[in-house]
Amino acid sequence: MRKENSTNAINEQFLFQVCELNSAIAMISGRWKSQIVYSISQGNNRFHLLKKELPNISEQVLGRQLKELEAHAILVKREIPETVPFGIEYILTNKGLDLVPILESLCNWGKTYEKGKEISVCSM
């Protein structure tokens, strides 16, 4: 946990005020968050399904990332009625659904340059 008056916290708040992009990146930053959001959009909406889809993530990290995504209102956690023991599913909010095509575009951008697309300097 970072102190509210630390240099890092002050700089972070400044960047959030300068451009909303910084705030957006902070919401989805983390090694697994984008993959979790995309995986839920593909129907893997239960903890065990996410764990199966992302076998290298620990249960502790998955739980923490889900809580952070929930705190940012990207997803909601809902009990599945009439299940014993009670089941939990994760559902993307409209904010989370709006994020999916952005993540897909970023993925395509990464693939394009990973494959060695020539990089040039463009004049504005």
Side-chain angles (χ1 to χ4, degrees):
M1 217 41 169
R2 184 182 319 157
K3 293 180 183 177
E4 287 183 31
N5 60 352
S6 71
T7 303
N8 283 340
I10 293 168
N11 288 341
E12 184 177 77
Q13 288 304 313
F14 171 76
L15 290 172
F16 288 175
Q17 292 170 358
V18 171
C19 179
E20 291 78 9
L21 173 64
N22 296 305
S23 178
I25 289 173
M27 280 187 246
I28 61 169
S29 67
R31 183 172 293 163
W32 297 99
K33 285 183 186 172
S34 60
Q35 200 59 49
I36 290 168
V37 169
Y38 185 76
S39 190
I40 291 171
S41 78
Q42 298 301 299
N44 299 305
N45 63 346
R46 307 272 308 267
F47 192 92
H48 74 279
L49 294 173
L50 289 165
K51 185 69 178 103
K52 184 177 177 183
E53 182 75 14
L54 308 168
N56 294 337
I57 191 172
S58 72
E59 289 186 8
Q60 181 181 10
V61 171
L62 177 56
R64 185 172 54 241
Q65 298 284 277
L66 286 165
K67 283 180 184 175
E68 289 176 15
L69 289 166
E70 187 177 13
H72 289 294
I74 292 171
L75 58 82
V76 293
K77 180 170 71 169
R78 183 170 67 186
E79 284 187 27
I80 303 171
E82 301 174 15
T83 56
V84 178
F86 71 92
I88 299 289
E89 65 181 345
Y90 298 94
I91 301 164
L92 296 178
T93 62
N94 62 321
K95 185 177 181 180
L97 289 171
D98 288 347
L99 180 58
V100 173
I102 296 166
L103 295 175
E104 289 171 340
S105 292
L106 277 170
C107 182
N108 290 334
W109 177 78
K111 286 178 187 174
T112 297
Y113 287 97
E114 178 187 44
K115 292 178 182 173
K117 180 177 179 177
E118 183 179 330
I119 298 172
S120 59
V121 176
C122 302
S123 59
M124 297 201 144

